[in-house]
Amino acid sequence: METRLSSTTKEVLISDKEPTILIGERINPSGKQKLVAALQAGNLELVRKEALAQVQAGADILDVNVGAAGVDEVTLLPQAVQAVTDVVDVPLCLDSSNPAALESALKVYHGKPLINSVTGEEHRLVKVLPLVKKYKTAVIGLTMDDEGIPNNPERRAAIAHKIVERAEASGIPREDIIIDCLSLSIGADNEAGLVTIETIGKVKAELGVNLTLGASNISFGLPDRNLLNSAFLVTAIIAGVNCPIVDVAKARPIILAADLILGRDKHARRYIEAYRQR
Ligand code: THG
């Protein structure tokens, strides 16, 4: 299964045979007061700065999310896309729950982006899948529906099946659907990690699709978050995740180690190069 994304001049290939692709999470105002204030003022300087820093740290793709109180995403998301492409040339993951904001960003994007995201909810499927088709993008499908996020792997995987079926029926190829099996806080529910890992295994075996995951959610409310995120990332990569959404500077070393162990780094070239740079 190969998903191809592109920027103006670069192509990124997501596949189990390739090294893990890192989607940088840091252009996102959640938990960042300074970024919230800048976005409310329409100031995109911090967005440019985070874009550059993440690509220098090894991000292959950047997630762009400008959702915050008092922000008009329909206006600001395309402006953020422009700001990011002024300073870096990597494919983008357009992260918004507002379909109108997604479409205004798609209109200014050059290349093939990833839309983040659709769910199994009927109102989301009917709004987002036509955008994926019209703009020939790829899309992240979250394993949640009108009843929320199921707490068992069978029902979570069933939503992945539904999203893939609906997308294929709309003429979207399966390789352009990337499933997110969703991680919740382990601090709130000690089975949360296991449910996610088991869902990843099922979805990979049953659908063969590429898989993403927002790995930092797992450690909310617990100490030593990077340790827990790292352990979870490795477990998720072995189970089948191949393009996680991460804090790149923190996650890249452990991901390079996992790739080396899994035979995705010939002659340990990437692992050794990253060590030399540190
Ligand atoms: N799946 C998909 N998309 C997603 C998520 C997901 N997009 C958003 C989110 N989850 C992934 N992005 C982030 C961004 C920031 C943080 C976590 C996930 C985060 N921020 C710090 C905090 O809240 O403590 C901010 C602190 C800082 O670094 O300054 O942890 O799951 N498809």
Side-chain angles (χ1 to χ4, degrees), residues 174-220:
R174 187 176 296 204
E175 58 264 29
D176 285 336
I177 306 151
I178 296 178
I179 295 293
D180 183 337
C181 296
L182 296 173
S183 52
L184 301 175
S185 165
I186 294 183
D189 170 7
N190 71 7
E191 299 263 317
L194 183 62
V195 171
T196 302
I197 298 298
E198 288 186 357
T199 307
I200 290 165
K202 278 181 76 67
V203 172
K204 184 66 89 175
E206 293 170 9
L207 290 164
V209 291
N210 288 322
L211 298 173
T212 187
L213 194 69
S216 340
N217 308 340
I218 205 84
S219 61
F220 280 127

mmCIF file of all heavy atoms in Angstrom, residues 174-220:
data_model
loop_
_atom_site.group_PDB
_atom_site.id
_atom_site.type_symbol
_atom_site.label_atom_id
_atom_site.label_comp_id
_atom_site.label_asym_id
_atom_site.label_seq_id
_atom_site.Cartn_x
_atom_site.Cartn_y
_atom_site.Cartn_z
ATOM 1 N N ARG A 174 -8.154 3.275 -2.205
ATOM 2 C CA ARG A 174 -7.849 2.899 -0.823
ATOM 3 C C ARG A 174 -6.504 3.452 -0.349
ATOM 4 O O ARG A 174 -6.332 3.777 0.825
ATOM 5 C CB ARG A 174 -7.871 1.372 -0.683
ATOM 6 C CG ARG A 174 -7.725 0.921 0.751
ATOM 7 C CD ARG A 174 -7.835 -0.570 0.907
ATOM 8 N NE ARG A 174 -9.154 -1.082 0.531
ATOM 9 C CZ ARG A 174 -9.666 -2.220 0.985
ATOM 10 N NH1 ARG A 174 -8.960 -2.960 1.848
ATOM 11 N NH2 ARG A 174 -10.846 -2.641 0.608
ATOM 12 N N GLU A 175 -5.550 3.578 -1.266
ATOM 13 C CA GLU A 175 -4.226 4.069 -0.830
ATOM 14 C C GLU A 175 -4.283 5.524 -0.379
ATOM 15 O O GLU A 175 -3.352 6.005 0.267
ATOM 16 C CB GLU A 175 -3.167 3.884 -1.929
ATOM 17 C CG GLU A 175 -3.473 4.551 -3.250
ATOM 18 C CD GLU A 175 -4.112 3.603 -4.257
ATOM 19 O OE1 GLU A 175 -4.813 2.644 -3.841
ATOM 20 O OE2 GLU A 175 -3.919 3.823 -5.462
ATOM 21 N N ASP A 176 -5.357 6.229 -0.727
ATOM 22 C CA ASP A 176 -5.469 7.615 -0.291
ATOM 23 C C ASP A 176 -6.229 7.760 1.028
ATOM 24 O O ASP A 176 -6.558 8.882 1.451
ATOM 25 C CB ASP A 176 -6.104 8.477 -1.386
ATOM 26 C CG ASP A 176 -5.112 8.762 -2.517
ATOM 27 O OD1 ASP A 176 -3.893 8.700 -2.259
ATOM 28 O OD2 ASP A 176 -5.555 9.027 -3.652
ATOM 29 N N ILE A 177 -6.492 6.640 1.688
ATOM 30 C CA ILE A 177 -7.125 6.690 3.011
ATOM 31 C C ILE A 177 -6.123 6.200 4.047
ATOM 32 O O ILE A 177 -5.572 5.103 3.940
ATOM 33 C CB ILE A 177 -8.379 5.796 3.068
ATOM 34 C CG1 ILE A 177 -9.331 6.163 1.937
ATOM 35 C CG2 ILE A 177 -9.075 5.929 4.425
ATOM 36 C CD1 ILE A 177 -10.172 5.002 1.488
ATOM 37 N N ILE A 178 -5.851 7.036 5.021
ATOM 38 C CA ILE A 178 -4.937 6.701 6.111
ATOM 39 C C ILE A 178 -5.773 6.663 7.379
ATOM 40 O O ILE A 178 -6.462 7.638 7.702
ATOM 41 C CB ILE A 178 -3.807 7.750 6.202
ATOM 42 C CG1 ILE A 178 -2.958 7.696 4.923
ATOM 43 C CG2 ILE A 178 -2.960 7.524 7.449
ATOM 44 C CD1 ILE A 178 -1.829 8.711 4.877
ATOM 45 N N ILE A 179 -5.756 5.527 8.053
ATOM 46 C CA ILE A 179 -6.621 5.386 9.231
ATOM 47 C C ILE A 179 -5.862 5.739 10.524
ATOM 48 O O ILE A 179 -4.688 5.416 10.677
ATOM 49 C CB ILE A 179 -7.191 3.944 9.318
ATOM 50 C CG1 ILE A 179 -8.126 3.668 8.115
ATOM 51 C CG2 ILE A 179 -7.919 3.710 10.636
ATOM 52 C CD1 ILE A 179 -9.421 4.489 8.084
ATOM 53 N N ASP A 180 -6.565 6.437 11.406
ATOM 54 C CA ASP A 180 -6.059 6.806 12.733
ATOM 55 C C ASP A 180 -6.866 6.022 13.760
ATOM 56 O O ASP A 180 -8.069 6.269 13.924
ATOM 57 C CB ASP A 180 -6.222 8.318 12.938
ATOM 58 C CG ASP A 180 -5.653 8.814 14.272
ATOM 59 O OD1 ASP A 180 -5.524 8.013 15.212
ATOM 60 O OD2 ASP A 180 -5.360 10.018 14.347
ATOM 61 N N CYS A 181 -6.236 5.074 14.449
ATOM 62 C CA CYS A 181 -6.949 4.218 15.402
ATOM 63 C C CYS A 181 -7.168 4.891 16.749
ATOM 64 O O CYS A 181 -7.770 4.300 17.652
ATOM 65 C CB CYS A 181 -6.220 2.885 15.554
ATOM 66 S SG CYS A 181 -6.201 1.951 13.998
ATOM 67 N N LEU A 182 -6.690 6.110 16.901
ATOM 68 C CA LEU A 182 -6.928 7.020 18.032
ATOM 69 C C LEU A 182 -6.344 6.550 19.357
ATOM 70 O O LEU A 182 -6.590 5.436 19.801
ATOM 71 C CB LEU A 182 -8.432 7.296 18.231
ATOM 72 C CG LEU A 182 -9.108 8.020 17.063
ATOM 73 C CD1 LEU A 182 -10.605 8.080 17.293
ATOM 74 C CD2 LEU A 182 -8.533 9.416 16.880
ATOM 75 N N SER A 183 -5.593 7.432 19.971
ATOM 76 C CA SER A 183 -5.083 7.124 21.307
ATOM 77 C C SER A 183 -5.708 8.078 22.302
ATOM 78 O O SER A 183 -5.808 9.270 22.069
ATOM 79 C CB SER A 183 -3.557 7.247 21.329
ATOM 80 O OG SER A 183 -3.145 8.484 20.824
ATOM 81 N N LEU A 184 -6.150 7.528 23.406
ATOM 82 C CA LEU A 184 -6.708 8.328 24.495
ATOM 83 C C LEU A 184 -5.731 8.259 25.666
ATOM 84 O O LEU A 184 -4.773 7.490 25.642
ATOM 85 C CB LEU A 184 -8.080 7.763 24.895
ATOM 86 C CG LEU A 184 -9.113 7.739 23.761
ATOM 87 C CD1 LEU A 184 -10.397 7.059 24.218
ATOM 88 C CD2 LEU A 184 -9.414 9.159 23.291
ATOM 89 N N SER A 185 -5.997 9.054 26.695
ATOM 90 C CA SER A 185 -5.074 9.111 27.829
ATOM 91 C C SER A 185 -5.050 7.795 28.616
ATOM 92 O O SER A 185 -6.086 7.315 29.103
ATOM 93 C CB SER A 185 -5.479 10.258 28.745
ATOM 94 O OG SER A 185 -4.842 10.117 29.990
ATOM 95 N N ILE A 186 -3.859 7.226 28.761
ATOM 96 C CA ILE A 186 -3.692 6.019 29.579
ATOM 97 C C ILE A 186 -3.907 6.352 31.049
ATOM 98 O O ILE A 186 -4.324 5.509 31.837
ATOM 99 C CB ILE A 186 -2.282 5.412 29.365
ATOM 100 C CG1 ILE A 186 -2.158 4.899 27.937
ATOM 101 C CG2 ILE A 186 -2.015 4.272 30.337
ATOM 102 C CD1 ILE A 186 -0.832 4.225 27.642
ATOM 103 N N GLY A 187 -3.631 7.632 31.405
ATOM 104 C CA GLY A 187 -3.851 8.064 32.786
ATOM 105 C C GLY A 187 -5.317 7.965 33.184
ATOM 106 O O GLY A 187 -5.649 7.674 34.329
ATOM 107 N N ALA A 188 -6.204 8.193 32.207
ATOM 108 C CA ALA A 188 -7.638 8.141 32.488
ATOM 109 C C ALA A 188 -8.182 6.710 32.424
ATOM 110 O O ALA A 188 -9.162 6.382 33.084
ATOM 111 C CB ALA A 188 -8.390 9.035 31.506
ATOM 112 N N ASP A 189 -7.553 5.850 31.605
ATOM 113 C CA ASP A 189 -8.043 4.469 31.425
ATOM 114 C C ASP A 189 -6.845 3.592 31.086
ATOM 115 O O ASP A 189 -6.257 3.728 30.015
ATOM 116 C CB ASP A 189 -9.068 4.453 30.272
ATOM 117 C CG ASP A 189 -9.450 3.042 29.850
ATOM 118 O OD1 ASP A 189 -9.040 2.076 30.525
ATOM 119 O OD2 ASP A 189 -10.160 2.916 28.836
ATOM 120 N N ASN A 190 -6.492 2.682 31.979
ATOM 121 C CA ASN A 190 -5.262 1.920 31.747
ATOM 122 C C ASN A 190 -5.349 0.900 30.621
ATOM 123 O O ASN A 190 -4.356 0.297 30.253
ATOM 124 C CB ASN A 190 -4.699 1.323 33.051
ATOM 125 C CG ASN A 190 -5.544 0.185 33.602
ATOM 126 O OD1 ASN A 190 -6.492 -0.266 32.970
ATOM 127 N ND2 ASN A 190 -5.194 -0.272 34.779
ATOM 128 N N GLU A 191 -6.537 0.716 30.043
ATOM 129 C CA GLU A 191 -6.678 -0.173 28.883
ATOM 130 C C GLU A 191 -6.568 0.603 27.569
ATOM 131 O O GLU A 191 -6.609 0.008 26.483
ATOM 132 C CB GLU A 191 -8.051 -0.873 28.909
ATOM 133 C CG GLU A 191 -8.292 -1.743 30.121
ATOM 134 C CD GLU A 191 -8.000 -3.206 29.852
ATOM 135 O OE1 GLU A 191 -8.403 -3.693 28.778
ATOM 136 O OE2 GLU A 191 -7.351 -3.845 30.711
ATOM 137 N N ALA A 192 -6.455 1.941 27.651
ATOM 138 C CA ALA A 192 -6.534 2.769 26.431
ATOM 139 C C ALA A 192 -5.440 2.429 25.420
ATOM 140 O O ALA A 192 -5.688 2.366 24.214
ATOM 141 C CB ALA A 192 -6.472 4.253 26.798
ATOM 142 N N GLY A 193 -4.231 2.195 25.909
ATOM 143 C CA GLY A 193 -3.122 1.878 25.002
ATOM 144 C C GLY A 193 -3.352 0.546 24.306
ATOM 145 O O GLY A 193 -3.182 0.438 23.085
ATOM 146 N N LEU A 194 -3.789 -0.438 25.057
ATOM 147 C CA LEU A 194 -4.006 -1.786 24.515
ATOM 148 C C LEU A 194 -5.098 -1.790 23.447
ATOM 149 O O LEU A 194 -4.954 -2.426 22.396
ATOM 150 C CB LEU A 194 -4.373 -2.740 25.664
ATOM 151 C CG LEU A 194 -4.556 -4.209 25.279
ATOM 152 C CD1 LEU A 194 -3.250 -4.786 24.723
ATOM 153 C CD2 LEU A 194 -5.018 -5.031 26.483
ATOM 154 N N VAL A 195 -6.190 -1.070 23.696
ATOM 155 C CA VAL A 195 -7.279 -1.014 22.712
ATOM 156 C C VAL A 195 -6.761 -0.435 21.394
ATOM 157 O O VAL A 195 -7.053 -0.942 20.305
ATOM 158 C CB VAL A 195 -8.471 -0.176 23.246
ATOM 159 C CG1 VAL A 195 -9.505 0.060 22.151
ATOM 160 C CG2 VAL A 195 -9.103 -0.860 24.442
ATOM 161 N N THR A 196 -5.955 0.627 21.495
ATOM 162 C CA THR A 196 -5.410 1.260 20.286
ATOM 163 C C THR A 196 -4.486 0.291 19.536
ATOM 164 O O THR A 196 -4.605 0.126 18.319
ATOM 165 C CB THR A 196 -4.632 2.537 20.657
ATOM 166 O OG1 THR A 196 -5.513 3.412 21.354
ATOM 167 C CG2 THR A 196 -4.103 3.235 19.414
ATOM 168 N N ILE A 197 -3.578 -0.352 20.252
ATOM 169 C CA ILE A 197 -2.611 -1.262 19.615
ATOM 170 C C ILE A 197 -3.354 -2.430 18.954
ATOM 171 O O ILE A 197 -3.038 -2.831 17.831
ATOM 172 C CB ILE A 197 -1.570 -1.763 20.645
ATOM 173 C CG1 ILE A 197 -0.755 -0.593 21.202
ATOM 174 C CG2 ILE A 197 -0.675 -2.832 20.032
ATOM 175 C CD1 ILE A 197 0.073 0.191 20.207
ATOM 176 N N GLU A 198 -4.353 -2.972 19.617
ATOM 177 C CA GLU A 198 -5.113 -4.093 19.025
ATOM 178 C C GLU A 198 -5.908 -3.636 17.809
ATOM 179 O O GLU A 198 -6.041 -4.367 16.839
ATOM 180 C CB GLU A 198 -6.030 -4.736 20.083
ATOM 181 C CG GLU A 198 -5.223 -5.522 21.099
ATOM 182 C CD GLU A 198 -6.066 -6.311 22.098
ATOM 183 O OE1 GLU A 198 -7.327 -6.224 22.066
ATOM 184 O OE2 GLU A 198 -5.451 -7.009 22.920
ATOM 185 N N THR A 199 -6.430 -2.404 17.863
ATOM 186 C CA THR A 199 -7.156 -1.878 16.692
ATOM 187 C C THR A 199 -6.199 -1.724 15.509
ATOM 188 O O THR A 199 -6.544 -2.073 14.368
ATOM 189 C CB THR A 199 -7.812 -0.513 17.018
ATOM 190 O OG1 THR A 199 -8.600 -0.625 18.196
ATOM 191 C CG2 THR A 199 -8.689 -0.052 15.857
ATOM 192 N N ILE A 200 -4.998 -1.210 15.765
ATOM 193 C CA ILE A 200 -3.994 -1.043 14.708
ATOM 194 C C ILE A 200 -3.734 -2.384 14.018
ATOM 195 O O ILE A 200 -3.748 -2.477 12.783
ATOM 196 C CB ILE A 200 -2.678 -0.466 15.305
ATOM 197 C CG1 ILE A 200 -2.889 0.989 15.722
ATOM 198 C CG2 ILE A 200 -1.516 -0.584 14.311
ATOM 199 C CD1 ILE A 200 -1.799 1.541 16.644
ATOM 200 N N GLY A 201 -3.520 -3.439 14.813
ATOM 201 C CA GLY A 201 -3.260 -4.766 14.245
ATOM 202 C C GLY A 201 -4.409 -5.262 13.387
ATOM 203 O O GLY A 201 -4.204 -5.776 12.279
ATOM 204 N N LYS A 202 -5.628 -5.090 13.870
ATOM 205 C CA LYS A 202 -6.819 -5.541 13.124
ATOM 206 C C LYS A 202 -6.976 -4.779 11.820
ATOM 207 O O LYS A 202 -7.219 -5.354 10.762
ATOM 208 C CB LYS A 202 -8.093 -5.328 13.969
ATOM 209 C CG LYS A 202 -8.368 -6.410 14.992
ATOM 210 C CD LYS A 202 -9.663 -6.139 15.762
ATOM 211 C CE LYS A 202 -10.925 -6.459 14.951
ATOM 212 N NZ LYS A 202 -11.064 -7.903 14.676
ATOM 213 N N VAL A 203 -6.862 -3.446 11.890
ATOM 214 C CA VAL A 203 -7.087 -2.619 10.697
ATOM 215 C C VAL A 203 -6.019 -2.909 9.648
ATOM 216 O O VAL A 203 -6.315 -3.025 8.450
ATOM 217 C CB VAL A 203 -7.124 -1.117 11.068
ATOM 218 C CG1 VAL A 203 -7.148 -0.238 9.827
ATOM 219 C CG2 VAL A 203 -8.356 -0.823 11.937
ATOM 220 N N LYS A 204 -4.777 -3.074 10.091
ATOM 221 C CA LYS A 204 -3.702 -3.381 9.138
ATOM 222 C C LYS A 204 -3.967 -4.731 8.471
ATOM 223 O O LYS A 204 -3.856 -4.863 7.251
ATOM 224 C CB LYS A 204 -2.351 -3.376 9.865
ATOM 225 C CG LYS A 204 -1.155 -3.585 8.987
ATOM 226 C CD LYS A 204 -0.927 -2.433 8.007
ATOM 227 C CE LYS A 204 -0.073 -1.344 8.572
ATOM 228 N NZ LYS A 204 0.264 -0.281 7.601
ATOM 229 N N ALA A 205 -4.342 -5.759 9.270
ATOM 230 C CA ALA A 205 -4.562 -7.103 8.722
ATOM 231 C C ALA A 205 -5.788 -7.147 7.818
ATOM 232 O O ALA A 205 -5.772 -7.792 6.763
ATOM 233 C CB ALA A 205 -4.719 -8.108 9.870
ATOM 234 N N GLU A 206 -6.847 -6.444 8.189
ATOM 235 C CA GLU A 206 -8.113 -6.569 7.461
ATOM 236 C C GLU A 206 -8.205 -5.630 6.263
ATOM 237 O O GLU A 206 -8.857 -5.943 5.272
ATOM 238 C CB GLU A 206 -9.289 -6.300 8.422
ATOM 239 C CG GLU A 206 -9.422 -7.366 9.500
ATOM 240 C CD GLU A 206 -10.412 -7.006 10.602
ATOM 241 O OE1 GLU A 206 -11.142 -5.994 10.473
ATOM 242 O OE2 GLU A 206 -10.445 -7.734 11.617
ATOM 243 N N LEU A 207 -7.580 -4.463 6.356
ATOM 244 C CA LEU A 207 -7.731 -3.460 5.286
ATOM 245 C C LEU A 207 -6.422 -3.152 4.558
ATOM 246 O O LEU A 207 -6.439 -2.634 3.434
ATOM 247 C CB LEU A 207 -8.325 -2.166 5.863
ATOM 248 C CG LEU A 207 -9.794 -2.251 6.292
ATOM 249 C CD1 LEU A 207 -10.153 -1.070 7.190
ATOM 250 C CD2 LEU A 207 -10.718 -2.278 5.067
ATOM 251 N N GLY A 208 -5.302 -3.414 5.209
ATOM 252 C CA GLY A 208 -3.988 -3.184 4.588
ATOM 253 C C GLY A 208 -3.616 -1.726 4.377
ATOM 254 O O GLY A 208 -2.647 -1.425 3.694
ATOM 255 N N VAL A 209 -4.362 -0.819 4.990
ATOM 256 C CA VAL A 209 -4.130 0.615 4.743
ATOM 257 C C VAL A 209 -2.955 1.156 5.555
ATOM 258 O O VAL A 209 -2.521 0.547 6.540
ATOM 259 C CB VAL A 209 -5.386 1.458 5.097
ATOM 260 C CG1 VAL A 209 -6.509 1.182 4.125
ATOM 261 C CG2 VAL A 209 -5.828 1.199 6.532
ATOM 262 N N ASN A 210 -2.460 2.303 5.130
ATOM 263 C CA ASN A 210 -1.458 3.006 5.915
ATOM 264 C C ASN A 210 -2.117 3.616 7.154
ATOM 265 O O ASN A 210 -3.309 3.927 7.139
ATOM 266 C CB ASN A 210 -0.766 4.061 5.061
ATOM 267 C CG ASN A 210 0.154 3.414 4.037
ATOM 268 O OD1 ASN A 210 0.821 2.409 4.333
ATOM 269 N ND2 ASN A 210 0.187 3.959 2.831
ATOM 270 N N LEU A 211 -1.318 3.788 8.218
ATOM 271 C CA LEU A 211 -1.882 4.183 9.513
ATOM 272 C C LEU A 211 -1.105 5.322 10.162
ATOM 273 O O LEU A 211 0.118 5.286 10.248
ATOM 274 C CB LEU A 211 -1.856 2.980 10.478
ATOM 275 C CG LEU A 211 -2.680 1.751 10.079
ATOM 276 C CD1 LEU A 211 -2.403 0.604 11.048
ATOM 277 C CD2 LEU A 211 -4.168 2.069 10.064
ATOM 278 N N THR A 212 -1.853 6.306 10.664
ATOM 279 C CA THR A 212 -1.261 7.384 11.445
ATOM 280 C C THR A 212 -1.727 7.260 12.892
ATOM 281 O O THR A 212 -2.548 6.382 13.231
ATOM 282 C CB THR A 212 -1.622 8.774 10.872
ATOM 283 O OG1 THR A 212 -0.890 9.782 11.566
ATOM 284 C CG2 THR A 212 -3.118 9.062 10.989
ATOM 285 N N LEU A 213 -1.240 8.130 13.771
ATOM 286 C CA LEU A 213 -1.642 8.147 15.174
ATOM 287 C C LEU A 213 -1.078 9.405 15.817
ATOM 288 O O LEU A 213 0.076 9.748 15.575
ATOM 289 C CB LEU A 213 -1.037 6.920 15.885
ATOM 290 C CG LEU A 213 -1.595 6.559 17.256
ATOM 291 C CD1 LEU A 213 -3.024 6.057 17.136
ATOM 292 C CD2 LEU A 213 -0.738 5.492 17.915
ATOM 293 N N GLY A 214 -1.886 10.104 16.592
ATOM 294 C CA GLY A 214 -1.380 11.240 17.366
ATOM 295 C C GLY A 214 -0.834 10.697 18.672
ATOM 296 O O GLY A 214 -1.573 10.480 19.615
ATOM 297 N N ALA A 215 0.487 10.458 18.688
ATOM 298 C CA ALA A 215 1.038 9.644 19.773
ATOM 299 C C ALA A 215 1.066 10.352 21.125
ATOM 300 O O ALA A 215 1.066 9.692 22.166
ATOM 301 C CB ALA A 215 2.432 9.165 19.393
ATOM 302 N N SER A 216 1.094 11.695 21.141
ATOM 303 C CA SER A 216 1.249 12.375 22.442
ATOM 304 C C SER A 216 0.000 12.335 23.311
ATOM 305 O O SER A 216 0.076 12.616 24.513
ATOM 306 C CB SER A 216 1.672 13.837 22.268
ATOM 307 O OG SER A 216 2.225 14.095 21.035
ATOM 308 N N ASN A 217 -1.163 12.005 22.716
ATOM 309 C CA ASN A 217 -2.405 11.981 23.513
ATOM 310 C C ASN A 217 -2.329 10.964 24.652
ATOM 311 O O ASN A 217 -2.961 11.131 25.687
ATOM 312 C CB ASN A 217 -3.600 11.602 22.635
ATOM 313 C CG ASN A 217 -3.708 12.451 21.381
ATOM 314 O OD1 ASN A 217 -3.156 13.535 21.316
ATOM 315 N ND2 ASN A 217 -4.417 11.959 20.372
ATOM 316 N N ILE A 218 -1.563 9.910 24.435
ATOM 317 C CA ILE A 218 -1.540 8.778 25.364
ATOM 318 C C ILE A 218 -1.073 9.179 26.767
ATOM 319 O O ILE A 218 -1.502 8.619 27.759
ATOM 320 C CB ILE A 218 -0.611 7.667 24.776
ATOM 321 C CG1 ILE A 218 -0.999 6.311 25.308
ATOM 322 C CG2 ILE A 218 0.865 7.941 25.006
ATOM 323 C CD1 ILE A 218 -2.104 5.670 24.563
ATOM 324 N N SER A 219 -0.198 10.205 26.823
ATOM 325 C CA SER A 219 0.491 10.499 28.091
ATOM 326 C C SER A 219 -0.095 11.670 28.868
ATOM 327 O O SER A 219 0.452 12.046 29.910
ATOM 328 C CB SER A 219 1.964 10.789 27.791
ATOM 329 O OG SER A 219 2.078 11.911 26.934
ATOM 330 N N PHE A 220 -1.212 12.241 28.392
ATOM 331 C CA PHE A 220 -1.829 13.360 29.114
ATOM 332 C C PHE A 220 -2.042 12.985 30.576
ATOM 333 O O PHE A 220 -2.536 11.917 30.888
ATOM 334 C CB PHE A 220 -3.176 13.772 28.484
ATOM 335 C CG PHE A 220 -3.027 14.640 27.269
ATOM 336 C CD1 PHE A 220 -3.648 14.295 26.078
ATOM 337 C CD2 PHE A 220 -2.261 15.806 27.294
ATOM 338 C CE1 PHE A 220 -3.508 15.087 24.938
ATOM 339 C CE2 PHE A 220 -2.118 16.594 26.171
ATOM 340 C CZ PHE A 220 -2.742 16.238 24.986
#
